[in-house]
Amino acid sequence: MSKGRIGFRIGEDINRPKDTSIFQKLMDFGTPPLSDGLNKFNTLDSKIKAVSSGVKLAGPAITVKLRPADNLMLHKAIDIAKEGDIIIVDTGGTENYSIMGDLMSSAAFKKKIGGFVIDGAIRDIEELMEKKYPIFAKAVTPAVGDKDGPGEINHPISCGGVVVMPGDYVVADDNGIVIIPPDQIEEIVSGTEKKLKYEAKRAIEIEEGHITKPDIDEKLRKLGVLD
């Protein structure tokens, strides 16, 4: 269900988990093992990076699709977002016009949203870096666009080469950004924990002097490189 017509519509509110501790758990995992748990899928374009090093975010997605160089629906998304939500934005690929700066960001974080992921440009970079807001964006430019639309909120978008549905879980840190479908969270958490156990075991092996994994030489033998 949504109000409006294609290009000018707002979808119904997203589903949020009752137990929000899952988002702290996902942040503690970090995106590398989560990416492994996702079988290397659902990782956003590496050009979308944290504005300030060391910031992290995790939360349910408020999806926003904008006309290039327009931010009308981003203003409304900030208005309807709730504490902890992640506003994730498809700008149509534009990097020449910023869709958000210090004032819009400050308004959003006054509401205690969880952060922004923007496949596009922002501005006021010095202020945003100083305030350490959890914002991830693809580019920086001083130029701004319009507030006329069209645009959509809480409909499927493409962000960083990944399809994002309203309510998907967004996790981001200095390594990158992953998208987790909520209906697969148990399987993905299980795969992530399995990967972390392997890494802990391998770290002990390295400390004990076992530098090369046995399966490396085995693969090379099968390829005819080693006897």
Side-chain angles (χ1 to χ4, degrees), residues 13-24:
D13 197 13
I14 63 172
N15 291 320
R16 299 172 180 84
K18 292 181 180 179
D19 183 4
T20 58
S21 65
I22 183 61
F23 297 124
Q24 184 60 54

Side-chain angles (χ1 to χ4, degrees), residues 107-157:
F109 290 109
K110 182 70 172 179
K111 295 187 62 175
K112 299 182 180 179
I113 73 156
F116 288 92
V117 173
I118 300 170
D119 191 351
I122 57 173
R123 70 176 190 170
D124 299 332
I125 191 70
E126 294 92 347
E127 292 89 340
L128 298 181
M129 290 177 67
E130 180 182 354
K131 293 174 181 178
K132 291 282 186 179
Y133 288 147
I135 298 172
F136 292 71
K138 194 173 186 178
V140 177
T141 178
V144 295
D146 309 311
K147 295 183 180 65
D148 301 316
E152 299 183 343
I153 300 172
N154 286 340
H155 285 271
I157 64 169

Side-chain angles (χ1 to χ4, degrees), residues 165-180:
M165 304 295 290
D168 279 354
Y169 296 170
V170 185
V171 186
D173 56 27
D174 281 338
N175 284 289
I177 308 155
V178 297
I179 303 299
I180 301 173

